[in-house]
Amino acid sequence: MQETEQAVAEAARLLRQARSVVVFSGAGISAESGIPTFRDSGGWWERFPVEQFGTWTGLLALARDRPRELAEYLVTRLRPVAEARPNPSHRAVRDMERFCRVTVVTQNIDGLHTEAGSSRVVEIHGSLLRVVWVVDRTVKAHLSRQELKAIVDKLGELCQTGRPSFRRLLLALQPIFGVGWRGLYRPDVVLFGDAMVEPEWTHALHAVRSCQVIVSVGTSGQVFPAAMLPMEAKRQGAAWIHVDPQEPAGDIWIKGRAGEILPLLVNKAWPA
Ligand code: APR
């Protein structure tokens, strides 16, 4: 029996016996929806230095000193999210809910698990489709992908003109970033240096401490504290299944793309 088939069969057996499963996802699960990952070759942090583009201070300094570069980054970074649709792996994760309690703990900010129909999604790094008041992280607005696309198009037009000024950049970003009656508002995302968002982080810890199986998919496991979650699940006795085309990890590593492996795994665990 091929190595992958053997791993899938063993993982499916564990899933069939589980009452509660955590799916811990990273950028790789959305790669097949057209959103680049962070650390693969050609990934975001190879193209955009994380200290400038992965922190609020870096982004604000860019807005002030090099507004055009920031506008170009935002077009490149936001367009794939605005145009993305859930792929077969997001739908397979949703389908698991028919057979056991599933909590999706995702590092992704693209909203694709929710759009695919998963009912218990914990976004530990927030969501680009949600705008919050900075003072208390209450929601100011939810964005549709169409609305995000309209912002991307406006930023794109700005890049076509001459030098986009800081003021015109802020105008284009007004739906997701600015100052309103409750002070500053911005996208509800966790950047480097930010504290983990609550109550999501507490919910994630509770989920991994009470599951029988954790399936990590599409994550290099390099960013903490998120990357400690599979170890936390194992510590309380859960089995760890890891789905990734190149990064081995877990008790069972299934080598392959999420869009290919997850539907296979769900069908094997719970044959139609
Ligand atoms: N299917 C499954 N896994 C894939 C696929 C695919 N089609 N394509 C790539 N991968 C895997 C890569 O092998 C890699 O292990 O997805 C992983 C992506 O790793 P990263 O780019 O490091 O993304 P992630 O682990 O989600 O990063 C975590 O770091 O920069 C921060 O906030 C950012 O949430 C992000 C966090």
Side-chain angles (χ1 to χ4, degrees):
M1 192 193 252
Q2 233 216 31
E3 213 173 303
T4 304
E5 281 176 22
Q6 208 158 1
V8 168
E10 174 55 13
R13 188 183 62 77
L14 291 169
L15 280 173
R16 218 173 10 256
Q17 293 167 355
R19 287 182 318 284
S20 171
V21 172
V22 168
V23 174
F24 175 55
S25 68
I29 200 170
S30 297
E32 292 159 86
S33 294
I35 303 175
T37 61
F38 293 91
R39 296 175 182 81
D40 287 323
S41 61
W44 295 122
W45 300 145
E46 186 182 279
R47 297 156 60 188
F48 300 99
V50 64
E51 48 290 333
Q52 264 181 318
F53 294 90
T55 65
W56 293 112
T57 41
L59 291 172
L60 287 174
L62 264 175
R64 186 193 58 225
D65 308 335
R66 305 206 298 278
R68 177 189 196 80
E69 201 174 326
L70 178 58
E72 289 168 345
Y73 164 69
L74 290 173
V75 170
T76 310
R77 182 78 176 76
L78 301 183
R79 186 183 299 285
V81 178
E83 295 175 348
R85 291 290 173 273
N87 68 56
S89 53
H90 297 105
R91 288 193 288 275
V93 171
R94 175 210 53 207
D95 293 345
M96 287 170 69
E97 293 188 1
R98 299 208 305 263
F99 309 103
C100 61
R101 178 184 169 82
V102 180
T103 303
V104 178
V105 175
T106 187
Q107 301 171 89
N108 300 339
I109 57 176
D110 56 36
L112 290 173
H113 281 295
T114 303
E115 187 172 332
S118 284
S119 58
R120 199 174 296 106
V121 180
V122 182
E123 295 170 317
I124 54 172
H125 288 166
S127 171
L128 264 176
L129 300 179
R130 193 168 48 240
V131 179
V132 292
W133 294 106
V134 170
V135 64
D136 56 7
R137 205 183 155 234
T138 48
V139 178
K140 176 179 186 290
H142 290 281
L143 282 183
S144 67
R145 287 193 204 276
Q146 292 75 11
E147 287 165 326
L148 186 62
K149 178 81 168 45
I151 295 167
V152 170
D153 290 345
K154 209 172 270 182
L155 288 167
E157 286 160 23
L158 212 54
C159 296
Q160 300 305 323
T161 60
R163 221 181 95 74
S165 65
F166 178 61
R167 196 182 64 77
R168 293 184 66 192
L169 179 60
L170 279 187
L171 266 179
L173 291 173
Q174 187 275 332
I176 56 173
F177 186 89
V179 179
W181 67 283
R182 296 200 66 213
L184 194 61
Y185 60 87
R186 61 167 174 75
D188 183 28
V189 293
V190 175
L191 298 186
F192 285 100
D194 288 347
M196 295 303 277
V197 287
E198 286 293 358
E200 288 85 347
W201 181 242
T202 300
H203 292 165
L205 286 174
H206 177 74
V208 299
R209 287 172 180 160
S210 51
C211 69
Q212 285 80 48
V213 174
I214 183 163
V215 182
S216 58
V217 49
T219 182
S220 63
Q222 293 185 37
V223 171
F224 286 80
M228 62 165 268
L229 292 172
M231 275 77 90
E232 191 60 17
K234 267 195 71 58
R235 201 175 54 78
Q236 57 80 11
W240 176 10
I241 299 163
H242 183 64
V243 179
D244 194 293
Q246 52 196 354
E247 296 285 338
D251 302 307
I252 301 175
W253 172 38
I254 308 178
K255 183 176 167 67
R257 291 179 300 98
E260 166 207 357
I261 297 296
L262 286 183
L264 193 65
L265 186 54
V266 172
N267 289 333
K268 189 79 180 171
W270 300 285

